[in-house]
Amino acid sequence: MNILDIIAKKEQGLELNKAEMEYVVMGYVNAEIPDYQMSAFLMAIKILGMSDKEIIDLTDIMLHSGEVLELGFDSVDKHSTGGVGDKTTLVLAPLVASLGVKVAKMSGRGLGHTGGTIDKLEAIEGFKTSMSLDELKTQVEDINVAIVGQMGNLCPADKKIYALRDVTGTVASIPLIASSIMSKKLASGSSKIVIDLKVGAGALMKTLDEAKELARVMVKIGHLNGRKTICVLTNMEQPLGYAVGNSLEVLESLETLKGHGPSDLNELVINLGSLMLALDKDLAVEKAIEYVQNALENGTGYEKMIELVKHQGGDITKIPVSTNILEVKALTSGFVKHIDALKIGELARRLGAGRMTKNDQIDPEVGIVLHKKIGDVVKQGDSLASVYYNKKQISELDVIDCFCFSEQPVVKPKLIYEIIK
Ligand code: URA
């Protein structure tokens, strides 16, 4: 076998067998195949796609490239394909845990606009995001929930291939995304999986058709591996909630857990939370919605968050936010037609809320809080957003440029497009 023949076979549109893919993937992990040949292989996949069988085999190869965790209890994992202002895990994990669902959540740091879930949690003073597998299991047995950084040597093939995809224009490929996400979900040991698949300008999947295809494949992989899997296709045409930036997002999550969340975030956590609960407890979704709504209204989700923060060494009263605030005022009146989520994310990163490179330090205190969302009425001089800054600054115009106005009323966008099981 050799890599050139395998690339040529793919280029001719022929189906690769598992042995050929294993040769390439493990050859790359073991540094026998160089970056430039792997890049050509990945680009061939991106352009020509893969059959379901190839995607399933590729997932299995990546899954078994490292450790596969055994948690020893039933648990539900929730995954998001990522979006601006996406603090859903911070609300959902304690919320469903307060209803008896076990959540052993392994999350990442962000290389994107804002930090990942782990960076957000570390905005809480003292919060520890690393523990041993035994400690994780004990904490979940005790309080139903733990949120930690990646542990063990899970899917080293994905780690190495993802880093290459990031710099070779090969991230946006359905077979590569499906195998990357599902290999990690399967390796981290949860028995049920709910995926929040973001769709829109601010997401990896730009159209509903692409997102449906990705969802179909991921659900198929989950089921073939004996995991109940559900994909929810959700709107990412504007940031989720109002806050973008690490401490700011934690504070918005706490408000949501107290029942005072922004309507889109609230709707999302009720939908995802009820699916997690229904999946875990074999309940009708309507019943599960009732339980989740109650847990938001009566504060049991919030109490579970306090318990989680305490268990992981954090002080919930210490979530620092910068006191330097720039108010961004509207220059015109109208209805908000569009908010460029990616640009808002990019501005937050420029403030220091996210990383450009792996080793950059995040500033948890900075970010942007929007005051208007799509469909809202704006009068000239109204505050569009507050910018929380420290050392790095952005201008009012930078933020104003993210908004697009219409003279006609604008309908608020639908949040949940479709559920695929
Ligand atoms: N998230 C992942 O984990 N992998 C991808 O390929 C894309 C998003």
Side-chain angles (χ1 to χ4, degrees):
M1 234 182 265
N2 81 66
I3 175 79
L4 291 181
D5 289 347
I6 296 172
I7 294 172
K9 187 172 173 187
K10 187 76 228 167
E11 191 198 352
Q12 288 159 29
L14 300 173
E15 188 175 70
L16 299 180
N17 62 45
K18 194 168 180 184
E20 288 163 333
M21 284 189 284
E22 192 148 26
Y23 173 86
V24 179
V25 170
M26 295 319 291
Y28 184 59
V29 172
N30 297 327
E32 288 148 8
I33 289 175
D35 282 353
Y36 54 86
Q37 286 178 327
M38 191 63 182
S39 307
F41 178 72
L42 294 169
M43 188 53 86
I45 292 174
K46 184 181 171 197
I47 293 170
L48 293 157
M50 278 183 143
S51 67
D52 281 8
K53 178 171 182 317
E54 284 176 307
I55 304 173
I56 290 158
D57 286 345
L58 178 60
T59 308
D60 199 56
I61 294 162
M62 302 223 285
L63 162 65
H64 291 105
S65 66
E67 247 179 286
V68 177
L69 299 185
E70 288 286 340
L71 293 174
F73 47 73
D74 258 10
S75 68
V76 186
D77 195 359
K78 171 260 164 193
H79 180 82
S80 161
T81 56
V84 179
D86 187 2
K87 67 278 291 173
T88 319
T89 296
L90 301 183
V91 184
L92 262 185
L95 185 62
V96 298
S98 77
L99 295 166
V101 177
K102 289 197 177 345
V103 183
K105 179 85 189 111
M106 274 156 243
S107 286
R109 292 185 187 281
L111 236 197
H113 354 85
T114 54
T117 298
I118 289 304
D119 300 302
K120 291 171 195 176
L121 283 168
E122 284 177 353
I124 305 171
E125 256 185 53
F127 196 98
K128 287 188 201 66
T129 55
S130 63
M131 58 175 84
S132 69
L133 181 58
D134 280 344
E135 286 166 336
L136 172 87
K137 287 182 185 174
T138 307
Q139 182 171 318
V140 177
E141 300 275 16
D142 283 354
I143 66 164
N144 284 347
V145 59
I147 308 180
V148 295
Q150 295 302 342
M151 58 169 50
N153 183 27
L154 303 191
C155 301
D158 178 63
K159 228 171 260 168
K160 195 163 175 195
I161 293 170
Y162 192 84
L164 185 65
R165 286 170 58 208
D166 211 19
V167 292
T168 54
T170 49
V171 169
S173 149
I174 289 173
L176 297 177
I177 297 172
S179 51
S180 164
I181 292 177
M182 291 308 292
S183 59
K184 284 180 295 219
K185 294 294 104 185
L186 297 171
S188 55
S190 287
S191 41
K192 294 143 198 160
I193 304 164
V194 173
I195 299 171
D196 177 10
L197 209 172
K198 306 281 188 198
V199 191
L204 218 47
M205 292 289 105
K206 307 287 180 209
T207 69
L208 203 48
D209 280 348
E210 288 174 309
K212 278 187 197 173
E213 175 56 12
L214 177 58
R216 181 193 68 76
V217 181
M218 290 199 290
V219 167
K220 184 169 178 179
I221 297 170
H223 289 167
L224 281 172
N225 283 277
R227 316 293 165 98
K228 290 185 184 170
T229 306
I230 299 182
C231 257
V232 186
L233 310 192
T234 68
N235 183 311
M236 190 24 82
E237 292 290 349
Q238 62 179 338
L240 183 65
Y242 293 104
V244 180
N246 300 281
S247 286
L248 296 167
E249 292 190 39
V250 174
L251 293 170
E252 186 167 75
S253 305
L254 295 177
E255 282 309 300
T256 306
L257 280 164
K258 288 181 195 163
H260 312 304
S263 60
D264 56 351
L265 179 59
N266 217 41
E267 184 184 341
L268 187 63
V269 295
I270 289 170
N271 274 278
L272 294 175
S274 57
L275 286 171
M276 291 169 81
L277 183 63
L279 201 60
D280 195 45
K281 306 286 178 215
D282 258 328
L283 284 176
V285 175
E286 296 71 28
K287 196 77 208 154
I289 289 178
E290 242 176 70
Y291 287 126
V292 172
Q293 267 169 338
N294 280 342
L296 277 177
E297 279 158 24
N298 64 23
T300 48
Y302 180 72
E303 279 159 28
K304 184 56 78 178
M305 180 66 164
I306 305 278
E307 209 179 351
L308 168 69
V309 171
K310 203 163 161 205
H311 258 76
Q312 295 194 216
D315 182 343
I316 199 86
T317 64
K318 295 199 176 125
I319 305 170
V321 169
S322 175
T323 50
N324 305 312
I325 303 170
L326 169 73
E327 286 303 328
V328 178
K329 303 252 168 66
L331 300 176
T332 50
S333 300
F335 298 87
V336 180
K337 187 172 168 199
H338 179 66
I339 303 174
D340 190 328
L342 279 185
K343 257 196 209 162
I344 292 280
E346 202 43 53
L347 292 176
R349 169 157 47 190
R350 268 171 50 194
L351 289 165
R355 298 184 180 83
M356 292 298 260
T357 69
K358 234 175 31 203
N359 299 324
D360 285 352
Q361 279 286 329
I362 277 189
D363 182 345
E365 299 188 357
V366 301
I368 300 170
V369 176
L370 304 175
H371 301 307
K372 300 287 178 188
K373 300 274 298 234
I374 296 178
D376 286 349
V377 186
V378 175
K379 286 202 222 75
Q380 189 181 4
D382 278 358
S383 181
L384 288 178
S386 305
V387 175
Y388 292 74
Y389 64 94
N390 274 329
K391 288 186 202 123
K392 299 175 195 154
Q393 281 217 46
I394 55 173
S395 73
E396 259 184 275
L397 268 185
D398 286 331
V399 180
I400 289 170
D401 275 351
C402 299
F403 284 79
C404 176
F405 296 97
S406 158
E407 286 176 5
Q408 308 304 324
V410 175
V411 180
K412 290 211 178 260
K414 189 171 168 180
L415 184 69
I416 314 278
Y417 291 124
E418 197 167 327
I419 297 172
I420 296 180
K421 335 183 171 184

